[in-house]
Amino acid sequence: MTAIAATMLDGFAPTKWTPLPPLDDGVRVLLDDDRQQLVATAQTQLDRTADTGSAAEAGRIYDAMYPHADFTWPHLRALTEVDAEYFGTSTPTTVTLVDPLPGAPLGDVPIADTARASSLAQALATLHSAAPEPVSEAGFPVEDPSRSQFLILERLDQAASTGRVPSALLQHWEEEFEKVALWHFLATPIHGSIDEASVYTDQERVLALSEIGRLRVADPAVDLAAASALIDPAALPTFFEEYLNSRPRADEHVITRAELLAEFAVLDWLLEAVDSGDEAAIEDAADLLVSFNDVLFAAAPGTDSGSAEHRDDASAETPTADDASAGDDEHEVVSDETNGPADEEGTGVEAAITERDRSDVFIPRARPASASDEPAADAPAASDESAASTEPTPDQDDGTGPISRPDRP
């Protein structure tokens, strides 16, 4: 990597290197030539839906749209393509050089403090407040509300066909997502890939957002739902409230949609498991859906908590903890003294980097078994908070009754 990087940028001749956690990109190394530091990434695991060209163009758009943002994002300095044999891949590998981001990736430890929860809410409110035209004109995807609704209902149909989703849960999602008023919003620029690897923080606030190549114009609730999985449930009300305060023109149902999309995380895991044919993962996802169904409808006597199709006793067995948390070992990769000075705000480059594997799946509204409150009361009062927002919506029916499901192609 050092030899490759030395050919990519005039005047950059690195003499020191420190390995960094690979995250989702591949091999990452912090390089230093005693004058500057750059992060070299060999994108051996690059997702082609968000390629390097998209990330570079997204960075340019971010620069234009958010000149006064309180956070930063990757700034590409150089890129090249090397032959497949360099990294043992089946195709040539793209190598990039970017400026180091301040702070460190969030990792699997949820944000429990209100300061960082508020900071993340402010960052997303900033992203969603920009005009969508620069994003759409640059050729990034645009998803209007009707398209978003169609995709969700299509996933519901796919999930129903598996017979592994409790019927009450399916009915709940269908009734909620078919409400007309839920889809009265204007699509905005969104990050599109918020996760534990893309949010960089210090102990007080969000400093940077990476993985920006999935920039698009879509439902802002997508980012909020993804972010909610990174936040301790006790801090979620603060997160949602700060978002609405920071973006007063947000549509009144954005928090409701975010909560529903967050619920969908387990359903999406089931669909991915079915697509891969992983029977153990299918059982894990099905049991989590049953658990969530029990949490959601615990206060409703007589609610059917069974699957849409009959599950025999064997399939109802709960998987062992080893199945759910295999690979939960964690190890630290600590930068040595070659990392150089901290950035201007006193935050070390990739400070306190810890690589961890996700050991569980977040179930919205769930509480520890020792809690004495009713589970259903644990959900944030999003509808009351979001009712204060006043963004104008297109001239359409305000009813909240079911609408006809779009025809399937």
Side-chain angles (χ1 to χ4, degrees):
M1 287 287 281
T2 302
I4 294 171
T7 68
M8 295 173 62
L9 194 64
D10 291 341
F12 183 58
T15 58
K16 305 171 187 175
W17 63 277
T18 304
L20 299 174
L23 304 178
D24 293 331
D25 294 321
V27 181
R28 298 171 68 237
V29 179
L30 179 67
L31 301 175
D32 191 333
D33 69 352
D34 294 326
R35 295 183 302 106
Q36 64 178 327
Q37 293 178 323
L38 294 174
V39 175
T41 303
Q43 296 169 318
T44 56
Q45 303 173 33
L46 183 65
D47 182 346
R48 294 299 172 182
T49 63
D51 62 21
T52 303
S54 296
E57 180 66 8
R60 184 190 67 78
I61 294 176
Y62 270 60
D63 289 339
M65 292 198 304
Y66 311 112
H68 305 298
D70 292 333
F71 58 92
T72 189
W73 45 85
H75 293 86
L76 183 68
R77 298 285 296 277
L79 66 87
T80 190
E81 195 171 80
V82 299
D83 293 337
E85 58 262 24
Y86 272 91
F87 296 98
T89 56
S90 58
T91 59
T93 299
T94 299
V95 177
T96 61
L97 284 179
V98 301
D99 292 322
L101 294 175
L106 183 62
D108 285 344
V109 180
I111 295 175
D113 56 292
T114 57
R116 287 190 300 163
S118 295
S119 180
L120 181 54
Q122 292 163 5
L124 294 181
T126 297
L127 286 179
H128 301 162
S129 296
E133 287 77 14
V135 180
S136 59
E137 290 171 1
F140 286 89
V142 176
E143 297 175 7
D144 61 25
S146 61
R147 175 63 176 169
S148 299
Q149 183 198 27
F150 172 81
L151 293 175
I152 288 171
L153 294 177
E154 188 173 52
R155 281 150 63 195
L156 270 177
D157 279 352
Q158 293 170 356
S161 69
T162 68
R164 308 308 298 270
V165 185
S167 56
L169 200 52
L170 280 173
Q171 182 179 359
H172 158 70
W173 280 329
E174 287 198 356
E175 290 176 351
E176 292 300 318
F177 282 118
E178 288 183 345
K179 289 179 178 178
V180 173
L182 200 66
W183 303 100
H184 286 190
F185 68 89
L186 300 176
T188 71
I190 69 169
H191 180 278
S193 189
I194 294 292
D195 61 19
E196 67 278 4
S198 66
V199 178
Y200 281 60
T201 77
D202 61 8
Q203 296 303 310
E204 298 179 355
R205 64 188 182 92
V206 171
L207 301 175
L209 297 176
S210 67
E211 309 299 325
I212 60 175
R214 290 183 179 83
L215 173 69
R216 63 185 186 271
V217 177
D219 185 357
V222 171
D223 281 348
L224 297 182
S228 70
L230 309 179
I231 299 173
D232 187 277
L236 272 177
T238 296
F239 170 74
F240 288 137
E241 181 178 5
E242 184 61 38
Y243 177 83
L244 294 175
N245 289 338
S246 301
R247 187 175 169 239
R249 290 178 62 83
D251 72 275
E252 63 177 321
H253 296 292
V254 65
I255 305 302
T256 301
R257 290 198 310 280
E259 291 181 327
L260 289 169
L261 291 174
E263 294 175 5
F264 249 50
V266 183
L267 184 140
D268 282 336
W269 186 33
L270 172 67
L271 293 179
E272 290 172 6
V274 170
D275 287 342
S276 67
D278 187 337
E279 291 298 329
I282 292 173
E283 290 299 326
D284 287 351
D287 283 317
L288 278 171
L289 284 165
V290 170
S291 297
F292 177 53
N293 181 83
D294 292 342
V295 169
L296 190 62
F297 299 108
T303 300
D304 174 21
S305 61
S307 301
E309 293 181 5
H310 175 69
R311 298 180 59 193
D312 60 55
D313 292 340
S315 68
E317 293 178 1
T318 303
T320 65
D322 291 340
D323 294 333
S325 60
D328 192 33
D329 297 333
E330 57 186 53
H331 63 280
E332 287 193 340
V333 181
V334 181
S335 300
D336 60 21
E337 294 181 2
T338 65
N339 281 3
D343 63 80
E344 294 180 353
E345 298 186 5
T347 304
V349 176
E350 296 277 350
I353 297 173
T354 300
E355 180 184 8
R356 302 182 180 180
D357 293 324
R358 183 177 293 275
S359 60
D360 58 359
V361 175
F362 172 69
I363 302 180
R365 310 186 194 185
R367 292 179 64 98
S370 60
S372 59
D373 297 337
E374 288 294 330
D378 199 46
S383 59
D384 293 340
E385 294 170 11
S386 61
S389 62
T390 57
E391 180 174 27
T393 56
D395 209 11
Q396 24 183 344
D397 177 18
D398 289 337
T400 58
I403 61 175
S404 299
R405 177 172 298 198
D407 292 337
R408 296 291 186 267

